[in-house]
Amino acid sequence: MAMTARQRAKVSLYVQAGIFVVVLATVILAVDWKTIGTSVFNFAKIGPMFPDIFLVGLKNTLIYTALAFVVGLSGGLLLALMKLSTFPLYRWLATGYIEFFRGVPALLVFIAFGYGVPLAFGVQWDVNIVVMVSLGMVASAYIAETLRAGLQAVPKGQMEAARSLGMPQWRAMVSIVIPQAFKIVLPPLTNEIILLTKDSSLIYVLGLTASQYELTKFGRDGISSLGAGLTPLLVAGAFYLVITIPLSLLARKFESRSARTKR
Amino acid sequence: MNDVVNSTVRAAGVNIKDLRKSYGSNEVLKGISLTVEPGQVVCLIGPSGSGKSTLLRCVNLLEQPNAGTINVGKFEATDPDVDLNKMRQSVGMVFQHFNLFPHLSVLDNCTISQMKVLKRSRSEASEVARHNLERVGLGHLADRFPDQLSGGQQQRVAIARALSMDPQLMLFDEPTSALDPETVGDVLAVMRKLAQEGMTMLVVTHEMGFAREVADRVVFMDAGVVVEEGPAENVISAPTQPRTKEFLRRVLDPTHIGVEEA
């Protein structure tokens, strides 16, 4: 009567697959397809979203993400170098900055820089500037930690060899250590871009004109203007995947490549 | 340009006086004095942990000594105001693990510092680099990347990289210890040639054959002090100190140890 280990494993697999099928069937039967078809995902309402979802939503999401990434990468590199500095003041400043901006919700940073700072200093900021500053500052906190890990992963002998050839510290950093660190952090850095892409949706808290809408805001606006239930938002969500899935694939490619070149 | 391609060297000497170095309470160099005349080859031998690598690394200030003075050519390395980068340009360093720059081709490994530090043009730097790669017998591998080379080839590239800065002194930190046995000979041959050309060389090594053949002087260190020094034939072939005798017996006849300790 007793089963062999292999038989037991087989039975266990069948049981797991069975549970999966039952759950799936329950969901499909329980769902109100009629309501979904009219007000959650209505195919007829997708058409009117084009081509603006490309020309406005997707375009602005890409622009905001790119701006924030440029600020985040340069700020992150500066913070990472500060964190590795031998001068304690730099280390404390960088640590304080990183802990603060990783600790507070990005949404609050958006509100602070979108409303607070312009009020406090009596300035009018362009949306692009607000995105660059707020999202860029949050991003630089995260990217700083990634880069610091990358810089520390470069063997100490590389710096020693560069210094032995007469290079000053900064030159050794720029020409020898940083290029190698970037190769190491390429996969995690790609993940940071994915996070940034999604965080750019937080801009909805700012007052935007229609031409400044990014994907999420575009979708939310579509809900009221098209009267299509949740459809526009779901389509906008799908467009995020258009950006993030290729990035994931890219990150995986970097990962396998750096794994191959490792000695 | 001419004095660059010409393989005779302007050699610098080294003068070390009463050098001390501690890591915390652990004193690894306990007052070392050592002189290397310009053009001389001095081999540092001794058991691991004896401080010989630390001594070598102090010469170009990869380690900061706690006391004592080091003079390298016209530079006083231990002077706090010394232009460290300027001094290091004249001191070539070869590491146990090569430390080639993996993101640069063999040629670029040899040109980057010439261009960034000595401000040579790309074409001049390449010419110097190719000349030095020829010197170590690897001119044909200039376009490869370090991870495509064997250990022995990598170490010879590292020597060419150091030579491309026109050093007046070369430091070797166990240059053959990380190599497969069959590639050791090529590296030693390059070093032998360099010695014959009149380069000042300070070499930490376990290759007793090389030391006996090439070194003008051999220095035996143990536990942070110089135990015995002199011409190679004296120190290696006829040591006077018991610690030197014991070390050499173990190194020259390793099979002996197992029998005795069993």
Side-chain angles (χ1 to χ4, degrees), chain A residues 54-228:
Chain A
F54 275 113
L55 300 180
V56 180
L58 187 65
K59 186 193 84 178
N60 281 330
T61 290
L62 287 174
I63 289 177
Y64 296 151
T65 307
L67 287 176
F69 184 64
V70 169
V71 174
L73 191 61
S74 22
L77 183 57
L78 183 71
L79 285 165
L81 292 174
M82 283 170 73
K83 221 173 165 184
L84 296 175
S85 163
T86 48
F87 189 46
L89 179 64
Y90 284 154
R91 286 202 305 270
W92 296 335
L93 281 175
T95 307
Y97 180 100
I98 292 168
E99 291 306 328
F100 182 82
F101 280 97
R102 280 201 312 186
V104 297
L107 186 65
L108 298 190
V109 179
F110 259 101
I111 294 173
F113 284 101
Y115 295 115
V117 174
L119 265 180
F121 294 92
V123 288
Q124 276 306 129
W125 272 359
D126 183 72
V127 173
N128 286 340
I129 306 262
V130 177
V131 174
M132 272 174 86
V133 174
S134 37
L135 200 49
M137 285 179 86
V138 174
S140 55
Y142 284 96
I143 292 177
E145 283 296 284
T146 307
L147 290 182
R148 180 193 54 76
L151 288 169
Q152 284 181 321
V154 176
K156 229 178 69 196
Q158 292 292 308
M159 177 56 92
E160 288 186 350
R163 298 304 305 272
S164 297
L165 289 164
M167 289 190 201
Q169 171 95 13
W170 67 269
R171 167 55 68 191
M173 266 290 173
V174 170
S175 295
I176 305 301
V177 178
I178 291 178
Q180 294 183 54
F182 262 101
K183 230 177 203 169
I184 297 170
V185 301
L186 221 40
L189 212 53
T190 319
N191 287 331
E192 299 287 350
I193 304 180
I194 291 175
L195 291 177
L196 267 185
T197 309
K198 294 183 298 173
D199 277 353
S200 68
S201 66
L202 293 172
I203 201 176
Y204 79 86
V205 295
L206 304 178
L208 299 176
T209 62
S211 66
Q212 295 168 332
Y213 288 179
E214 42 66 62
L215 281 171
T216 302
K217 184 78 175 172
F218 183 87
R220 283 165 63 100
D221 185 65
I223 293 178
S224 50
S225 64
L226 293 172

Side-chain angles (χ1 to χ4, degrees), chain B residues 116-258:
Chain B
K116 302 297 185 192
V117 177
L118 301 180
K119 306 293 177 197
R120 287 178 182 160
S121 70
R122 178 174 288 282
S123 61
E124 186 188 355
S126 299
E127 195 178 332
V128 174
R130 285 185 192 282
H131 166 73
N132 284 308
L133 286 169
E134 292 295 340
R135 268 171 97 180
V136 301
L138 295 176
H140 59 294
L141 297 181
D143 296 326
R144 299 280 187 89
F145 278 80
D147 62 0
Q148 297 171 309
L149 307 183
S150 74
Q153 290 171 332
Q154 289 193 49
Q155 193 60 296
R156 285 188 280 158
V157 171
I159 294 173
R161 176 176 72 175
L163 289 176
S164 294
M165 297 295 286
D166 303 327
Q168 301 171 21
L169 159 72
M170 288 283 285
L171 306 174
F172 292 85
D173 189 4
E174 301 198 26
T176 57
S177 296
L179 298 180
D180 291 332
E182 74 266 26
T183 64
V184 168
D186 296 335
V187 172
L188 292 181
V190 167
M191 291 169 63
R192 192 178 296 121
K193 205 171 91 187
L194 211 53
Q196 285 160 0
E197 288 170 5
M199 176 67 78
T200 313
M201 292 164 61
L202 190 52
V203 186
V204 172
T205 188
H206 293 295
E207 300 289 339
M208 293 306 141
F210 175 81
R212 185 156 31 195
E213 181 200 344
V214 178
D216 296 297
R217 254 170 349 113
V218 170
V219 175
F220 173 71
M221 281 178 70
D222 190 17
V225 295
V226 172
V227 175
E228 183 166 0
E229 65 168 299
E233 54 269 30
N234 293 6
V235 177
I236 295 180
S237 307
T240 58
Q241 299 294 317
R243 271 193 285 177
T244 319
K245 284 181 188 163
E246 169 67 9
F247 171 76
L248 286 167
R249 193 177 59 72
R250 282 164 181 261
V251 171
L252 296 175
D253 189 7
T255 51
H256 226 70
I257 300 167

